[in-house]
Amino acid sequence: MRMANILVFDANSVSCRLVTALLRNHGNCVRDVGDADEALRLVRLERPDLLIIDIATPDTEGCKFVVRMRCDPSLPQPRVLMRAVASVEAEARALTHAFGASFVIKPTNPELLLATVRATLGEPAPQERVAADHEPLEMLVQPIARLLRRVAERSAQLEVARTALDLEIKKRIWAEHDLLHANRRLHDQVMRDSVTGLYNRGFLEESLAREKVRAKRHGHTLAVMMIDVDHFREFNDTLGQTAGDAILRSVGQCVVSLSRAEDLVARYDGDEFALMMANASRRIAWERADLIRQRARSLEIGHNEEDRLGPLTLSMGVAIFPEDGASTQAVLQAADRALISFKQAGRNAVAVGETHGRSASVKEWNE
């Protein structure tokens, strides 16, 4: 194909760039434009050999442009190659006959487009004022009117399809949203205790395993605190399960309120709670346990003086990874042993677990 001066008029910038790049790569001088007035100016100034135009541009601007060009005796009359989608092919072919133009369906594979361009450039140049001298205006208006109706029908069909697709997308989003919330509720049911709303033992043990890996990687400590409500069985047996549940909820919220954002509080078993503190020293864990113990004594459980429970006291055991155990299970057991050993000797105490074979230390209060 010899080098040709080609003007591409297409409001679709992506389509325009693809056609322009293809023709330039085959040695043509190509200009692209998306505005009708600018296209007419370039036709007048540069006298292109070929005009490639998408006749289904918005508001059929491509059709109007060709009519203006063909009916203007002062303008050069280049060869015209029209492009249109297959759904308006019949109407588009009628227009190409009226305009003395060639036609190709879009999207077009590169080989077919290049072949059509070569064939169109090989045809004789059209006489100036072709439409004005030889074709009645009605010959142009009627195909354009048919094309306008067909484009309007196609646009309506596309709008219906788009609306249906939007509705389907919204339904899928709503379904995914409902599924997400259902999964979260299921996760909470699996991972949380139904009485206190705290995490349960299973979730605590999973979290401890993750935090142990992180602590080993960064050389940090990991503190575990076991918390037991003193005389809970007596409260529960004497006052009933409702009162027992109220005690558990109050103690659980007390521990949560005195925990750091990165800590994890769980109901471990029965009246026993656990607090996991990442990157916490023995002293920090001890001080936090002391604060929880003191706050628990001031809890007021019940609606009035007659049914108010208390005062509550807590017994607590603290162990540190890796000092008190090489595994999370060993640390839990060390904290629990410290708790049990000093609970037998006297309640309302914070006990720190064994370290390298030494006996546990304890801090007791007899208030």
Side-chain angles (χ1 to χ4, degrees):
M1 183 170 64
R2 68 175 181 83
M3 178 176 173
N5 183 12
I6 301 175
L7 178 64
V8 179
F9 177 29
D10 192 337
N12 185 321
S13 59
V14 175
S15 173
C16 191
R17 286 197 300 268
L18 289 173
V19 172
T20 300
L22 175 66
L23 295 173
R24 281 178 181 160
N25 289 339
H26 284 76
N28 296 286
C29 178
V30 186
R31 292 286 297 272
D32 60 86
V33 62
D35 175 74
D37 291 334
E38 177 64 12
L40 284 173
R41 188 184 72 83
L42 291 174
V43 167
R44 187 184 303 276
L45 291 178
E46 300 190 2
R47 306 180 69 86
D49 301 309
L50 175 65
L51 171 65
I52 299 178
I53 186 165
D54 179 1
I55 60 173
T57 51
D59 299 325
T60 61
E61 189 69 22
C63 295
K64 297 175 184 177
F65 167 77
V66 177
V67 171
R68 288 172 62 188
M69 183 182 70
R70 287 297 195 225
C71 293
D72 187 344
S74 67
L75 284 173
Q77 297 297 322
R79 301 169 182 83
V80 175
L81 173 59
M82 291 184 170
R83 302 172 70 228
V85 293
S87 59
V88 295
E89 180 180 358
E91 294 81 0
R93 287 192 180 277
L95 278 174
T96 59
H97 174 73
F99 290 145
S102 301
F103 174 78
V104 65
I105 291 176
K106 63 176 251 187
T108 313
N109 67 66
E111 292 77 11
L112 178 58
L113 180 59
L114 290 171
T116 307
V117 167
R118 280 194 297 269
T120 304
L121 286 170
E123 296 174 356
Q127 298 292 322
E128 296 199 0
R129 301 181 62 200
V130 170
D133 289 343
H134 301 291
E135 298 286 354
L137 187 59
E138 291 77 9
M139 291 286 291
L140 300 178
V141 172
Q142 291 174 5
I144 292 175
R146 288 197 298 270
L147 180 62
L148 282 169
R149 286 195 299 270
R150 187 69 185 94
V151 170
E153 291 170 2
R154 184 170 180 269
S155 297
Q157 293 169 357
L158 289 174
E159 181 62 23
V160 170
R162 186 192 65 80
T163 302
L165 181 60
D166 285 347
L167 181 58
E168 182 63 26
I169 290 173
K170 287 178 181 178
K171 287 181 179 178
R172 287 180 179 272
I173 291 174
W174 293 334
E176 289 177 3
H177 183 267
D178 291 343
L179 180 61
L180 177 62
H181 281 273
N183 286 336
R184 286 178 177 171
R185 288 193 297 270
L186 181 61
H187 179 270
D188 284 346
Q189 291 173 2
V190 172
M191 296 301 181
R192 289 189 180 272
D193 170 56
S194 60
V195 175
T196 63
L198 301 176
Y199 288 112
N200 59 24
R201 178 172 179 169
F203 187 79
L204 170 71
E205 291 175 345
E206 289 180 9
S207 301
L208 277 171
R210 289 193 298 269
E211 288 301 325
K212 172 200 166 186
V213 173
R214 188 176 290 114
K216 288 183 67 175
R217 182 186 305 125
H218 299 289
H220 294 162
T221 57
L222 177 63
V224 175
M225 186 187 308
M226 302 300 291
I227 305 166
D228 186 83
V229 181
D230 293 336
H231 305 292
F232 176 77
R233 181 170 295 179
E234 297 174 23
F235 282 118
N236 202 54
D237 292 346
T238 303
L239 303 174
Q241 184 176 346
T242 300
D245 289 348
I247 291 173
L248 294 175
R249 283 191 289 270
S250 295
V251 172
Q253 289 307 309
C254 173
V255 177
V256 169
S257 68
L258 296 174
S259 301
R260 306 171 303 176
E262 63 271 26
D263 295 344
L264 187 146
V265 182
R267 183 183 177 189
Y268 192 70
D269 187 26
D271 62 332
E272 197 169 20
F273 298 85
L275 171 60
M276 180 184 75
M277 301 178 68
N279 196 21
S281 66
R282 191 177 298 273
R283 179 178 181 82
I284 289 174
W286 185 304
E287 290 174 350
R288 186 58 51 88
D290 184 18
L291 185 60
I292 293 170
R293 184 201 64 82
Q294 293 183 56
R295 184 70 59 84
R297 287 186 60 81
S298 63
L299 291 176
E300 295 184 354
I301 305 170
H303 299 291
N304 49 55
E305 292 292 339
E306 288 75 18
D307 64 1
R308 188 160 293 163
L309 306 175
L312 294 177
T313 61
L314 304 177
S315 295
M316 312 168 90
V318 176
I320 306 294
F321 170 84
E323 298 174 18
D324 298 326
S327 67
T328 54
Q329 194 61 37
V331 174
L332 280 169
Q333 291 172 354
D336 207 38
R337 282 197 303 271
L339 168 66
I340 293 171
S341 62
F342 287 100
K343 192 176 179 70
Q344 293 171 346
R347 296 174 174 84
N348 191 24
V350 177
V352 178
E354 300 175 356
T355 304
H356 302 303
R358 295 199 301 269
S359 297
S361 56
V362 64
K363 190 173 183 179
E364 296 179 90
W365 293 262
N366 296 307
E367 302 168 338

